[in-house]
């Protein structure tokens, strides 16, 4: 009995230390702060959130938590990469709005977003899809979408149960397509709340301990301010960048761009030999799928800066960008959807002073880039 007592007295402080560190640091938001709690403040109380970027938050988990908490379909959903992330509800004159843009987004992320909305019965009245040229460059895909993989698989099965490109559109148009696989049999459930198994997780403890010397922990605050010193996530899903970016000097942006050009780098466009036809067919089928369900789809081409666009024009390896824009115009015409913007900055009068960095347009300029370049009335 005494041996047991001694063992307990020895082990108990170790357990307490592990639990205390895991709770205090909580680097992945499992215990002290959860994505469900954050989205509760955003969705229910219309609060904006600071501290997320400093906490290295998982934007896909936060998005899932927020979409799952929505009580009814939105009038307008924005989807795409970080280049559409600062489209805000005021710009479109509606509170019934959510920006689902994800950092380093891929076609799989786009499928996953639509998959979540479909599973929740919350497809919007209108959907604005940002179409970056890199969506069709599979050599620069990443696995960040794996947090939402089940939803991406769900939509892939809906759109293209068969592999061939010719069958992708056929499957999307086939109303007799049956759900297949366990993921299709019921509503997908992925955790975004508390995970009590992490209290005493040694793996979690080991990682959290590495954060202590850097005084790094998951910590957020809530505010009704629309801009702050820090990166701010709005309750409508859009973002306001930190003051240091909002007040960046144009010379810094030009220098960053110049360096990128000297290194022959265009974000996620290197090693781009040919357009991935499966991705192009998937986007086309996704547009058709949404239209069949009564969603008004709009496509948007985010512009490059004048310096970067001039470089793209001058380099043979990057001229595939123009081919992609032509293909998206053809898709918009075929699907009878409105197309906004262009990769060419000339159409919106974009200048280097209008950018936060190499690729992101300042919020106050976003609606200038959102001009109608192909209207429904222009289509055959």
């Amino acid at each position: 009995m005494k041996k047991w007592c001694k063992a307990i007295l020895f082990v108990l402080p170790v357990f307490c230390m592990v639990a205390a560190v895991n709770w205090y640091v909580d680097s992945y938001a499992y215990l002290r702060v959860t994505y469900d709690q954050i989205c509760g403040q955003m969705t229910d109380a219309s609060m904006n959130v600071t501290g997320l970027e400093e906490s290295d938050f998982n934007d896909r988990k936060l998005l899932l938590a927020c979409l799952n908490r929505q009580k009814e379909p939105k009038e307008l959903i924005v989807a795409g990469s970080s280049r559409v992330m600062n489209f805000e509800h005021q710009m479109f004159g509606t509170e019934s709005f959510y920006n689902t843009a994800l950092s380093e987004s891929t076609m799989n992320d786009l499928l996953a977003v639509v998959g979540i909305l479909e599973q929740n019965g919350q497809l919007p009245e209108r959907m604005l899809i940002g179409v970056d040229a890199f969506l069709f460059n599979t050599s620069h895909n990443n696995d960040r979408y794996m947090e939402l993989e089940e939803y991406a698989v769900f939509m892939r099965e809906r759109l293209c149960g068969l592999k061939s490109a010719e069958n992708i559109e056929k499957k999307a148009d086939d109303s007799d397509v049956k759900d297949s696989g366990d993921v299709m049999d019921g509503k997908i459930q992925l955790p975004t709340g508390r995970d009590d198994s992490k209290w005493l997780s040694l793996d979690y403890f080991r990682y959290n301990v590495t954060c202590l010397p850097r005084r790094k922990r998951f910590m957020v605050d809530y505010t009704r301010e629309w801009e702050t010193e820090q990166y701010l996530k709005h309750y409508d899903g859009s973002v306001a960048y930190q003051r240091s970016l909002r007040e960046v000097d144009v010379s810094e942006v030009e220098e960053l761009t110049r360096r990128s050009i000297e290194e022959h780098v265009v974000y996620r466009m290197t090693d781009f030999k040919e357009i991935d036809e499966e991705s192009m067919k998937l986007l086309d089928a996704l547009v058709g799928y949404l239209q069949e369900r009564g969603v008004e789809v709009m496509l948007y081409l985010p512009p490059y800066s004048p310096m970067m666009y001039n470089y793209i024009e001058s380099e043979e390896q990057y001229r595939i960008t123009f081919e992609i824009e032509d293909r998206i115009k053809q898709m918009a015409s075929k699907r009878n959807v409105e197309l906004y913007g262009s990769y060419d900055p000339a159409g919106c009068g974009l200048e280097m002073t209008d950018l936060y960095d190499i690729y992101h347009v300042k919020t106050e300029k976003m609606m200038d880039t959102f001009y109608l370049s192909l209207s429904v009335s222009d289509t055959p």
Side-chain angles (χ1 to χ4, degrees):
M1 186 65 178
K2 288 182 179 180
K3 289 182 179 180
W4 279 107
C5 289
K6 287 181 179 179
I8 291 171
L9 289 173
F10 175 77
V11 171
L12 188 59
V14 175
F15 284 164
C16 289
M17 180 183 67
V18 170
V21 169
N22 285 345
W23 178 88
Y24 176 77
V25 179
D26 199 21
S27 51
Y28 292 126
Y30 288 124
L31 301 171
R32 177 175 40 78
V33 183
T34 69
Y35 291 105
D36 281 350
Q37 292 169 351
I38 296 169
C39 81
Q41 289 291 322
M42 293 173 66
T43 304
D44 300 342
S46 297
M47 298 295 285
N48 306 313
V49 191
T50 63
L52 287 168
E53 190 175 65
E54 293 77 9
S55 298
D56 288 341
F57 79 112
N58 186 315
D59 60 348
R60 284 146 179 87
K61 280 193 173 184
L62 180 59
L63 172 65
L64 177 59
C66 287
L67 291 184
N68 283 344
R69 203 174 185 95
Q70 305 290 348
K71 296 179 175 61
E72 58 187 19
K74 297 295 185 183
E75 178 185 330
L76 175 62
I77 290 285
V78 172
S81 72
S82 61
R83 298 180 74 199
V84 300
M85 207 173 274
N86 49 337
F87 273 128
E88 304 169 350
H89 70 273
Q90 304 99 318
M91 298 175 179
F92 300 93
T94 177
E95 281 282 347
S96 183
F97 169 99
Y98 202 79
N99 190 322
T100 66
L102 295 166
S103 56
E104 299 182 32
S105 184
T106 64
M107 189 63 68
N108 279 317
D109 287 300
L110 183 56
L111 294 176
V113 167
V114 176
I116 297 169
L117 295 169
E118 177 69 286
Q119 281 262 311
N120 291 351
Q122 293 184 353
L123 289 176
E125 294 178 26
R126 297 182 293 153
M127 190 164 189
L128 171 60
I129 300 174
V131 185
D132 288 283
F134 56 67
L135 284 178
F136 311 100
N137 181 13
T138 54
S139 66
H140 277 273
N141 277 352
N142 59 70
D143 61 359
R144 297 188 66 179
Y145 84 95
M146 294 293 285
E147 295 286 353
L148 305 173
E149 181 185 18
E150 289 83 348
Y151 294 101
V153 169
F154 169 78
M155 282 310 301
R156 275 184 175 272
E157 287 294 318
R158 284 286 175 100
L159 299 178
C160 54
L162 300 179
K163 296 293 184 183
S164 68
E166 293 78 10
N167 280 319
I168 289 176
E169 184 174 344
K170 179 178 181 299
K171 290 287 279 187
D173 294 335
D174 187 355
S175 58
D176 295 326
V177 172
K178 298 288 193 297
D179 291 348
S180 61
D182 293 340
V183 76
M184 308 293 285
D185 295 335
K187 194 171 186 302
I188 299 167
Q189 298 287 345
L190 297 180
T192 52
R194 177 170 291 167
D195 183 352
D196 289 325
S197 69
K198 299 300 181 183
W199 281 104
L200 298 177
S201 168
L202 293 180
D203 286 338
Y204 198 39
F205 172 75
R206 278 193 287 268
Y207 181 75
N208 284 330
V209 164
T210 66
C211 297
L212 286 173
R214 294 175 284 156
R215 298 183 179 180
K216 189 171 183 178
R217 60 195 296 245
F218 202 102
M219 177 62 69
V220 297
D221 291 304
Y222 304 100
T223 179
R224 295 198 185 278
E225 297 294 322
W226 205 247
E227 290 183 345
T228 64
E229 293 290 327
Q230 296 174 282
Y231 175 96
L232 184 70
K233 185 76 169 177
H234 296 144
Y235 69 83
D236 68 358
S238 65
V239 303
Y241 290 102
Q242 52 268 44
R243 183 180 295 278
S244 59
L245 276 180
R246 297 199 308 270
E247 298 180 356
V248 67
D249 191 280
V250 64
S251 62
E252 293 180 41
V253 178
E254 289 174 345
E255 179 57 28
L256 285 171
T257 307
R258 194 172 294 111
R259 264 187 259 154
S260 183
I261 290 171
E262 288 172 355
E263 293 168 4
H264 305 287
V265 172
V266 178
Y267 178 67
R268 289 174 65 182
M269 295 292 285
T270 54
D271 304 316
F272 199 171
K273 308 300 182 185
E274 59 182 4
I275 294 172
D276 180 62
E277 290 300 330
E278 182 188 8
S279 297
M280 189 65 74
K281 290 288 186 179
L282 276 170
L283 179 61
D284 180 52
L286 186 64
V287 171
Y289 182 92
L290 289 166
Q291 287 179 314
E292 288 174 359
R293 281 148 185 80
V295 180
E296 179 189 338
V297 179
M298 300 170 286
L299 302 178
Y300 166 72
L301 303 175
Y304 287 98
S305 74
M307 284 179 66
M308 187 57 74
Y309 192 78
N310 289 341
Y311 174 66
I312 289 170
E313 281 187 310
S314 69
E315 289 292 318
E316 182 66 33
Q317 64 172 320
Y318 293 127
R319 288 179 188 164
I320 195 168
T321 306
F322 309 137
E323 184 181 342
I324 292 169
E325 181 156 347
D326 287 341
R327 293 283 296 274
I328 299 304
K329 287 179 180 177
Q330 294 168 20
M331 183 187 301
S333 178
K334 168 193 163 189
R335 288 293 182 183
N336 201 30
V337 302
E338 292 185 332
L339 178 66
Y340 291 83
S342 169
Y343 298 141
D344 184 348
C348 60
L350 193 71
E351 299 178 359
M352 294 305 293
T353 52
D354 295 320
L355 287 105
Y356 293 119
D357 54 27
I358 302 177
Y359 299 104
H360 296 90
V361 175
K362 289 182 177 179
T363 299
E364 56 267 29
K365 186 67 176 179
M366 286 298 288
M367 288 310 288
D368 287 342
T369 73
F370 187 70
Y371 61 92
L372 190 60
S373 51
L374 180 69
S375 77
V376 172
S377 60
D378 294 335
T379 59

